[in-house]
Amino acid sequence: MTASATAAPALALHGIHKRFGGTVALDGASLVVQPGTLHALLGENGAGKTTLMRVAFGMVRADAGSIALEGAERRWRSSADAIAAGVGMVHQHFLLVGAMTVAENVALGGRGFVGGFNPARSTERVRQLGAETGLVLDPTARAGELPVGAQQRLEILKALFRDARVLILDEPTAVLPPREAQELYRWLRGFVARGRTVVLITHKVREALAVADAVTVLRRGRTVLEGPAAGLAEGAVVQALLGSRAPPIADEAGAPGTTAGEVVLDISGVSVVDDRGVLRLSEATLAIRSGEIVGVAGVEGAGHAELLRVLAGRLSPAAGTVRLPRRIGFVPEDRLRDALIPTMTLVENFALRDAGLARGIMPWSQYVARTHAAVRAHDVRSGEVTSSAATLSGGNQQKFVLARELEDASDALIVEHPTRGLDIRAAADVLARLRAARSAGVAIVVSSNDLDEVLAIADRIVVCFEGRLVPVVCNAEAVARAMVGLA
């Protein structure tokens, strides 16, 4: 560390509370970052890391708590206030205007831009920053045409253009290959050596301990560990991330693995490349049998979202072979965006299941009967099946989607975050339905941010880490270690 022991913290957040509706995102969280240091902020998905840093950056207003920058208490009205005070944030999903040049993106939102854009001045400033920092980019290049590593550098240049003294990076290596990740970490170490400060949001324990001066761990919105990285063992950090785990819930629908039959879903050597040209899934091989539930775990950007969409037949791989059954149910993470049309009736939404196969005149009377039967069988609390999907509660929307995707003896079912946003009763019902479907011979793949949930329902588990599949035993610590690259 380069900071003096008596210097005021570069950034300090104390007692931060934030609730989104019925969800408690932050429950008295704290973070103290010394100047001239690289501070790693770790935690599972949903632990509150990004929300806490958005509070620090003025994007989210806390319900309670305090923010201090370089010893002075602050109250941000917006991100503009934080930027003006010297706080910069590089988001996990880049906020670039692809049709604009590097110089234009750097100047956009900068101090004085409202007074008029000066192309020559901005171009020269980009070149100057590149010479000073080593983050060299062509000022005239279109942002949308840059490779992902260059886009990452552009986001950092945007913050430096605004003279950021505290730089927050949200999962910066999630989109970078190992070599570029190493280059970024070398640059960050040089940045803090010059007296600046970095907060690094990450899931990767080993990398955090290798590059950071200090570590803070959040779990369920609370700060559970903080201290110098040099004094922390990997096991202690993993334990803080994991907390005390309840044993898997007993399976009332039959012992795991006893009904597994023939292979239903089979992929071999599958690779997926995203729109930016980033390899998201690398040579994945996996077979799922009838009558089993396979849990898939991974931190955001690890490749599990792409894996599930390949298995659901929603995404074509760049390489490899895929063998899928004809009828695959898919319950996506965002039911309102990807599974339902809220303004349409339940009957119309039910008919969406067959939309790709239907021909000729729609047999609406049949769909009304099928919708009634599914609603009754899955205890979907609704008015009439002619009511819009928007009138259902979130839990009943989830049960309705699950009922639709399981209807007519699907061979396989792919489910993302099956109980997200559900109350205890609805969550228990959804898990019971999945167990019953497994007992009926359906091949099921489940992914969830709630590791306890995956452990409670899965017969076996695979972890995605940096695009690779890692088989693990159904053990909380083994899965958690594999998720952060310690397997």
Side-chain angles (χ1 to χ4, degrees):
M1 294 187 189
T2 61
S4 166
T6 60
L11 176 67
L13 298 101
H14 292 289
I16 303 297
H17 291 261
K18 183 62 187 178
R19 179 186 291 269
F20 297 100
T23 301
V24 177
L26 295 170
D27 189 11
S30 63
L31 174 72
V32 178
V33 182
Q34 298 302 326
T37 65
L38 193 159
H39 196 113
L41 179 60
L42 296 104
E44 292 183 286
N45 288 344
K49 306 182 300 298
T50 297
T51 301
L52 184 63
M53 288 300 90
R54 286 178 174 174
V55 169
F57 187 56
M59 288 183 68
V60 171
R61 183 170 297 179
D63 299 328
S66 64
I67 305 170
L69 187 69
E70 298 169 340
E73 187 167 344
R74 303 284 187 156
R75 294 185 180 274
W76 310 134
R77 293 168 297 178
S78 69
S79 295
D81 287 348
I83 290 169
V87 180
M89 186 167 182
V90 177
H91 304 275
Q92 183 175 359
H93 302 287
F94 301 149
L95 303 179
L96 300 173
V97 181
M100 296 176 68
T101 68
V102 167
E104 289 165 344
N105 271 278
V106 168
L108 187 63
R111 302 173 188 173
F113 184 73
V114 293
F117 173 59
N118 186 319
R121 185 171 59 199
S122 295
T123 296
E124 178 57 30
R125 181 59 176 150
V126 169
R127 291 198 173 102
Q128 181 184 1
L129 284 171
E132 292 173 354
T133 65
L135 302 174
V136 178
L137 292 172
D138 178 1
T140 65
R142 299 287 177 188
E145 298 173 359
L146 295 175
V148 66
Q151 291 184 358
Q152 177 80 266
R153 293 196 296 274
L154 175 52
E155 287 284 11
I156 295 174
L157 283 178
K158 285 168 54 180
L160 299 183
F161 182 77
R162 300 163 184 168
D163 195 28
R165 298 186 301 281
V166 176
L167 183 62
I168 302 166
L169 297 100
D170 192 353
E171 297 287 355
T173 62
V175 296
L176 300 180
R179 181 182 59 82
E180 293 190 12
Q182 292 172 4
E183 291 176 357
L184 173 64
Y185 284 139
R186 280 196 295 269
W187 182 86
L188 290 175
R189 290 306 319 175
F191 182 71
V192 299
R194 295 191 293 273
R196 302 300 174 98
T197 304
V198 171
V199 180
L200 177 71
I201 303 174
T202 182
H203 289 95
K204 300 177 182 179
V205 173
R206 188 164 292 161
E207 289 186 11
L209 293 177
V211 303
D213 297 304
V215 169
T216 294
V217 177
L218 295 186
R219 187 172 71 246
R220 298 179 181 178
R222 298 179 179 179
T223 301
V224 295
L225 178 69
E226 50 190 337
L232 292 174
E234 287 180 3
V237 177
V238 171
Q239 177 62 34
L241 286 166
L242 195 61
S244 58
R245 299 289 188 183
I249 299 171
D251 187 349
E252 300 175 357
T258 58
T259 59
E262 298 296 320
V263 172
V264 175
L265 299 159
D266 191 12
I267 65 172
S268 179
V270 165
S271 296
V272 173
V273 178
D274 69 12
D275 293 339
R276 292 176 172 176
V278 177
L279 182 66
R280 290 298 187 182
L281 198 62
S282 178
E283 299 182 351
T285 296
L286 183 64
I288 298 99
R289 297 178 178 274
S290 65
E292 74 167 342
I293 298 177
V294 175
V296 177
V299 300
E300 186 172 352
H304 54 299
E306 289 78 10
L307 172 66
L308 265 64
R309 279 157 180 74
V310 169
L311 292 171
R314 267 65 172 181
L315 181 62
S316 297
T321 59
V322 178
R323 183 171 67 86
L324 305 177
R326 182 172 179 270
R327 294 189 67 81
I328 307 173
F330 182 46
V331 182
E333 173 183 8
D334 190 333
R335 54 184 171 262
L336 291 179
R337 184 188 67 193
D338 299 326
L340 296 170
I341 299 177
T343 57
M344 290 173 58
T345 68
L346 295 185
V347 174
E348 291 166 336
N349 272 284
F350 202 91
L352 292 176
R353 170 73 192 276
D354 299 327
L357 303 174
R359 297 291 185 273
I361 298 173
M362 293 290 287
W364 286 114
S365 60
Q366 294 180 25
Y367 280 115
V368 169
R370 289 168 61 185
T371 305
H372 270 298
V375 165
R376 286 195 301 269
H378 286 256
D379 191 30
V380 178
R381 308 291 175 86
S382 65
E384 299 295 328
V385 295
T386 53
S387 301
S388 70
T391 63
L392 298 182
S393 67
N396 282 296
Q397 287 175 347
Q398 186 78 341
K399 289 195 288 184
F400 174 79
V401 173
L402 187 63
R404 181 186 67 193
E405 299 304 302
L406 280 173
E407 194 256 359
D408 197 21
S410 293
D411 298 304
L413 179 67
I414 314 299
V415 188
E416 288 185 305
H417 308 294
T419 64
R420 172 171 285 181
L422 306 188
D423 60 33
I424 294 175
R425 184 181 298 274
D429 182 71
V430 165
L431 295 182
R433 300 287 176 179
L434 292 177
R435 293 188 180 102
R438 178 190 61 191
S439 294
V442 180
I444 301 175
V445 181
V446 173
S447 177
S448 174
N449 285 340
D450 187 337
L451 183 54
D452 288 332
E453 185 172 273
V454 176
L455 289 166
I457 198 171
D459 301 312
R460 58 190 175 98
I461 294 178
V462 295
V463 170
C464 283
F465 181 75
E466 295 186 342
R468 294 176 286 106
L469 294 192
V470 183
V472 295
V473 297
C474 288
N475 171 276
E477 184 173 354
V479 175
R481 290 179 66 86
M483 287 173 66
V484 292
L486 301 181

